[in-house]
């Protein structure tokens, strides 16, 4: 069973699914870039993936994003 994502992790995931880089995600969410990297790291661990493309693919497959 997959872990659930926090609301912020889901926001970050949706933005990286659109191809935004950490700096852009930070600007949109009004958080620090290091905080974005923290959330991305957590996403990778929860989704058991090693990169953004795999994270987006898996999240779509699970149904967390469209």
């Amino acid at each position: 069973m997959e872990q659930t994502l926090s609301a912020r992790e889901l926001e970050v995931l949706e933005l990286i699914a659109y191809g935004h880089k950490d700096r852009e995600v930070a600007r949109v969410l009004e958080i620090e870039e290091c905080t974005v990297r923290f959330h991305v790291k957590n996403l990778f661990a929860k989704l058991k993936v090693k990169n953004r493309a795999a994270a987006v693919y898996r999240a779509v497959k699970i149904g967390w994003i469209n």
Side-chain angles (χ1 to χ4, degrees):
M1 179 84 182
E2 301 295 331
Q3 294 181 9
T4 59
L5 300 181
S6 70
R8 184 60 90 183
E9 289 169 340
L10 186 56
E11 289 176 318
V12 170
L13 179 60
E14 289 172 341
L15 289 168
I16 66 173
Y18 282 104
H20 293 289
K21 300 198 182 313
D22 291 350
R23 179 175 292 163
E24 296 164 332
V25 173
R27 183 181 48 77
V28 169
L29 297 179
E30 298 179 346
I31 58 177
E32 296 293 327
E33 207 171 328
C34 62
T35 305
V36 173
R37 288 190 294 271
F38 173 79
H39 290 308
V40 171
K41 180 182 158 197
N42 287 341
L43 286 168
F44 288 1
K46 288 180 178 183
L47 292 167
K48 298 179 176 84
V49 297
K50 294 184 180 185
N51 60 56
R52 291 170 182 249
V56 171
Y57 174 79
R58 186 147 172 99
V60 168
K61 194 170 182 174
I62 293 168
W64 286 349
I65 61 173
N66 296 334

